[in-house]
């Protein structure tokens, strides 16, 4: 991204990220990479022995009997043995059928816990006539997508610095979710066309739009090229970037269509909203696009028939987040839309660049192929998460490969190219949000942000200045929130409304909630709702304390976060903790001159 430039008439615009020197489009070279098996979170003891799939309890067992045992050839004997073992364990166990290998398929009836299944397995294993007993595991397609350029998408699958996307696809592909790409619009591309839905052209000024008219329902990208000095003194000429199309391809390119690339959320739809044209785009147009995308009303613009639950903004400029922009973002989030924005390409603190420094957004920094902060990426405490953005200075193929057009000025033939930038990192997170919303439609923007941070992995490389919670992990995050794997809330809420004063620069205070009537462990997406009044929330450190004393950091202190109050919902993977017991919220004010009160907090299982 480039800092705002003065238009010849004195107008100031937000510039297109693609015209920055940090975002390069260069010729593609092939890179052959083998897919690495997805990284799995550590599982409890016996989980691999009792699960049909991660998070899914086995319903059947495959039992192999030793040669010579009656059960090895007699179905009646196998049935009798299953019934006997069921009686021993107190479970309903039954013989179902004989497999081609001679093994017996045994049903587990109403066994509903890991312990119950493990007891049955142990009973079979203790029988000297049993050769083996294993869960009847559920298998899913594991082949790479057949997209011809998929091997170039290291950012999706490489173990070092990829985002572990393929392992998320068996759970979610983004189906049912619309992502609004607020950018340069869309130039026709056959690897995207199936996932494009109606959008809008929000550019009011024809000098910027260069399509001969103002706002209309056609978000087609006519090209954003400009001549030397046309966008400000000393600014060199630039070819058309087709930036919005590159971003859209990363999010939702058609997949398994035997061509091109794979999209992160290839089941999702893209609504292209055009706000950037020649030399950039106005705040006013961007604000209206944010409003309309999220279901708000914009004067003179028809109602949106494709309301987006995710907004991608790979754009930005210098300065503070204005009240006008912040108001639009806050309203969108309040409507349930998650707003994902680029941190910026200035190798500077994101606090100096908007909208990466706005509140209620997911601000994304860029990493390179080694997992370190990309040299151009902004940083700082306002960054929420990092994602692959590429770095072509170390080799063209180390950029992010996506859909494009070969036209230098106006549209020509469709193509693909490597770009780099936080503009490229941002759609990785927007795509992840689409996967999450598809897996669990009840997630709020706050829960989504918290889950992405909680399930991130440590940055594989170095970062000076702050790169958020780490490198996003798509598979782990989607698994944590998926309703099919139990990673969701049941609606059971326990709360404390007793106010607790938070002493200025003092010792930590705690508030307790007694949880009872729950069975087993807490969920992998335990929701912790917090309401704290405070005059400088950056002073505060928040921890959730489990019944056994284990602590989970909810919020760290930040000297640059000067806003008031903490009113947020955090997502915690508490699946290793017993649900019942006394949970505590620990709050500490770490700096002087500001005071506050913990008004209330709650746990939602």
């Amino acid at each position: 991204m480039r800092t705002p430039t003065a238009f010849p008439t004195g107008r100031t615009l937000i510039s297109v990220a693609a015209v920055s020197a940090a975002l390069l489009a260069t010729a593609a070279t092939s890179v052959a990479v083998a897919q690495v098996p997805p990284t799995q979170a550590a599982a409890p003891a016996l989980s691999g022995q009792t699960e049909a799939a991660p998070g899914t309890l086995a319903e059947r067992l495959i039992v192999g009997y030793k040669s010579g045992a009656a059960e090895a050839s007699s179905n009646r004997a196998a049935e009798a043995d299953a019934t006997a073992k069921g009686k021993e364990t107190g479970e309903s166990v039954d013989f179902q059928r004989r497999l081609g290998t001679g093994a017996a398929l045994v049903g587990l009836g109403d066994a509903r816990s890991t312990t119950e299944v493990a007891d049955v397995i142990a009973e079979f294993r203790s029988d000297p006539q049993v050769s083996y007993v294993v869960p009847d595991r559920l298998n899913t397609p594991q082949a790479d997508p057949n997209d011809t350029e998929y091997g170039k998408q290291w950012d999706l699958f490489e173990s070092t610095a990829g985002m572990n996307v393929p392992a998320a696809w068996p759970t979610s592909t983004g189906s049912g979710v619309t992502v609004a790409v607020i950018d340069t619009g869309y130039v026709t591309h056959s690897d995207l066309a199936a996932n494009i839905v109606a959008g809008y052209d929000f550019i009011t000024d024809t000098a910027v739009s260069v399509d001969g008219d103002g706002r209309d329902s056609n978000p087609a990208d006519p090209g954003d090229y400009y001549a030397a000095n046309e966008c400000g003194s000393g600014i060199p000429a630039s070819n058309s970037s087709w930036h919005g199309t590159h971003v859209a391809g990363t999010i939702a390119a058609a997949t398994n269509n035997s061509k091109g690339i794979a999209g992160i959320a290839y089941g999702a739809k893209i609504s292209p909203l055009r706000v950037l044209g020649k030399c950039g785009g106005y705040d006013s147009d961007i604000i209206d696009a944010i409003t309309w995308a999220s279901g708000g009303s914009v004067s003179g613009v028809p109602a949106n028939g494709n309301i987006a639950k995710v907004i991608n903004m790979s754009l930005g400029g210098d300065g503070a987040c204005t009240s006008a922009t912040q108001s639009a973002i806050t309203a969108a989030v309040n409507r349930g839309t998650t707003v994902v924005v680029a941190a910026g390409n200035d190798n500077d603190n994101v606090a100096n660049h908007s909208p990466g420094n706005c509140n209620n957004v997911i601000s994304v920094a860029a990493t390179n192929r080694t997992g370190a902060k990309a040299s151009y990426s902004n940083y700082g405490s306002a960054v929420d998460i990092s994602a692959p953005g590429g770095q072509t200075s170390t080799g063209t193929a180390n950029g992010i490969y996506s859909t494009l057009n070969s036209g230098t000025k106006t549209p020509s033939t469709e193509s693909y190219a490597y770009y780099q930038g936080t503009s490229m990192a941002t759609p990785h997170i927007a795509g992840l949000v689409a996967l999450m919303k598809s897996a669990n439609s009840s997630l709020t923007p706050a829960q989504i942000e918290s889950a992405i941070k909680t399930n991130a992995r440590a940055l594989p490389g170095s970062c000076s200045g702050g790169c958020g919670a780490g490198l996003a992990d798509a598979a782990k995050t989607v698994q944590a929130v998926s309703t099919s794997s139990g990673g969701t809330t049941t609606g059971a809420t326990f709360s404390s409304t007793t106010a607790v004063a938070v002493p200025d620069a003092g010792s930590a205070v705690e508030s307790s909630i007694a949880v009872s009537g729950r069975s087993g462990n807490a969920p992998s997406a335990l929701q912790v709702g917090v309401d704290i009044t405070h005059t400088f929330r950056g002073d505060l450190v928040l921890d959730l304390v489990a019944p056994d004393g284990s602590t989970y950091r909810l919020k760290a202190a930040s000297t640059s976060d000067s806003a008031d109050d903490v009113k947020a919902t955090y997502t915690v993977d508490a699946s290793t903790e017993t649900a019942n017991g006394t949970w505590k919220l620990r709050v500490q004010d770490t700096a002087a001159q500001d005071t506050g009160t913990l008004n209330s907090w709650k746990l939602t299982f």
Side-chain angles (χ1 to χ4, degrees):
M1 291 185 293
R2 186 162 54 84
T3 56
T5 57
F7 202 73
T9 58
R11 298 170 292 182
T12 301
L13 302 86
I14 286 184
S15 62
V16 185
V19 301
S20 153
L23 193 161
L24 303 178
T26 52
T29 56
S30 177
V31 180
V33 186
Q35 183 176 352
V36 178
T39 300
Q40 297 287 346
L46 290 178
S47 65
Q49 302 171 20
T50 60
E51 292 179 345
T56 303
L57 202 62
E59 297 178 353
R60 292 171 297 275
L61 301 176
I62 299 172
V63 181
Y65 290 95
K66 292 181 179 178
S67 176
E71 296 88 351
S73 56
S74 167
N75 290 353
R76 181 173 295 181
E79 173 64 37
D81 188 49
T83 300
K85 288 179 168 55
K87 289 181 179 178
E88 287 293 326
T89 57
E91 306 299 335
S92 177
V93 182
D94 68 290
F95 170 80
Q96 294 188 345
R97 64 182 174 89
R98 185 75 59 180
L99 304 187
T101 59
L105 184 65
V106 175
L108 292 172
D110 58 359
R112 292 291 182 265
S113 73
T114 298
T115 300
E116 291 170 340
V117 175
D119 287 346
V120 177
I121 291 174
E123 186 67 21
F124 273 105
R125 284 182 173 169
S126 68
D127 187 339
Q129 297 301 316
V130 171
S131 176
Y132 62 84
V133 56
V134 295
D136 187 14
R137 295 189 306 187
L138 178 67
N139 293 269
T140 57
Q142 294 295 307
D144 288 347
N146 62 21
D147 304 79
T148 55
E149 304 298 306
Y150 176 70
K152 299 175 182 179
Q153 294 181 273
W154 62 267
D155 45 307
L156 303 193
F157 58 78
E158 279 193 355
S159 59
T160 299
M163 220 173 74
N164 198 16
V165 173
W169 287 334
T171 303
S172 175
T173 63
S175 177
V177 179
T178 297
V179 182
V181 174
I182 298 179
D183 213 293
T184 64
Y186 164 66
V187 61
T188 302
H189 200 294
S190 63
D191 208 10
L192 263 174
N195 286 335
I196 297 293
V197 296
Y200 209 80
D201 181 355
F202 279 92
I203 302 178
T204 53
D205 193 316
T206 56
V208 177
S209 70
V210 298
D211 61 359
D213 55 33
R215 289 185 172 179
D216 56 39
S217 60
N218 181 9
D221 185 351
D224 56 0
Y225 71 95
Y226 50 83
N229 302 312
E230 191 174 6
C231 295
S233 179
I235 296 177
S238 175
N239 291 334
S240 289
S241 66
W242 318 115
H243 187 264
T245 301
H246 196 281
V247 167
T250 297
I251 298 170
T255 300
N256 280 316
N257 61 343
S258 299
K259 68 176 298 180
I261 64 167
I264 290 172
Y266 60 84
K269 300 299 182 184
I270 297 291
S271 176
L273 306 186
R274 188 167 181 251
V275 298
L276 301 177
K278 178 171 285 190
C279 303
Y282 284 109
D283 273 354
S284 55
D285 291 341
I286 294 168
I287 287 167
D288 280 351
I290 294 169
T291 302
W292 190 79
S294 57
S297 298
V298 177
S299 178
V301 180
N304 185 3
N306 297 295
I307 295 174
K309 289 304 179 184
V310 191
I311 287 174
N312 186 102
M313 291 201 294
S314 293
L315 47 76
D318 288 349
C321 180
T322 67
S323 298
T325 297
Q326 185 63 66
S327 177
I329 290 171
T330 300
V333 170
N334 288 341
R335 294 184 195 103
T337 298
T338 300
V339 181
V340 187
V341 303
N345 297 344
D346 312 278
N347 190 26
D348 186 26
N349 196 311
V350 69
N352 301 319
H353 305 275
S354 174
N357 57 9
C358 293
N359 295 323
N360 295 324
V361 301
I362 300 178
S363 185
V364 186
T367 51
N368 60 27
R369 199 166 179 172
T370 67
K373 183 186 85 69
S375 60
Y376 54 79
S377 178
N378 286 350
Y379 51 82
S381 61
V383 169
D384 294 300
I385 195 72
S386 292
Q391 187 163 328
T392 56
S393 63
T394 59
T396 300
N398 292 336
I400 305 301
Y401 199 68
S402 189
T403 47
L404 213 70
N405 192 277
S406 64
T408 57
K409 293 185 177 180
T410 57
S412 182
T413 57
E414 64 180 45
S415 64
Y416 301 85
Y418 290 99
Y419 273 6
Q420 69 171 21
T422 55
S423 281
M424 284 56 257
T426 305
H428 284 75
I429 300 302
L432 172 54
V433 175
L435 295 177
M436 296 167 71
K437 284 293 287 186
S438 180
N440 186 346
S441 61
S442 67
L443 292 171
T444 66
Q447 290 169 341
I448 286 170
E449 179 178 344
S450 181
I452 290 173
K453 292 178 178 179
T454 300
N455 292 287
R457 58 192 176 97
L459 216 62
S462 61
C463 172
S464 176
C467 287
L471 181 63
D473 187 310
K476 184 179 178 183
T477 305
V478 171
Q479 182 72 16
V481 302
S482 171
T483 56
S484 64
S485 63
T488 185
T489 64
T490 63
T493 299
F494 300 82
S495 60
S496 172
T497 57
T498 302
V500 179
V502 181
D504 186 29
S507 300
V509 296
E510 294 181 339
S511 175
S512 300
I513 292 177
V515 174
S516 60
R518 307 296 301 168
S519 61
N521 287 359
S524 58
L526 177 64
Q527 305 300 304
V528 186
V530 178
D531 183 344
I532 298 175
T533 302
H534 197 274
T535 51
F536 193 102
R537 68 184 181 200
D539 290 354
L540 298 179
V541 174
L542 276 60
D543 290 295
L544 176 67
V545 184
D548 67 354
S550 300
T551 59
Y552 297 84
R553 177 58 49 89
L554 304 179
K555 178 188 175 301
S558 173
T559 56
S560 63
D561 187 359
S562 61
D564 295 339
D565 308 332
V566 179
K567 299 181 188 295
T569 300
Y570 302 92
T571 301
V572 174
D573 182 356
S575 57
T576 61
E577 305 291 346
T578 301
N580 289 336
T582 300
W583 296 75
K584 298 177 183 179
L585 181 67
R586 181 179 295 159
V587 183
Q588 184 173 15
D589 186 324
T590 60
Q593 299 182 348
D594 292 273
T595 59
T597 302
L598 169 59
N599 301 308
S600 64
W601 70 290
K602 62 184 180 180
L603 294 171
T604 303
F605 290 81

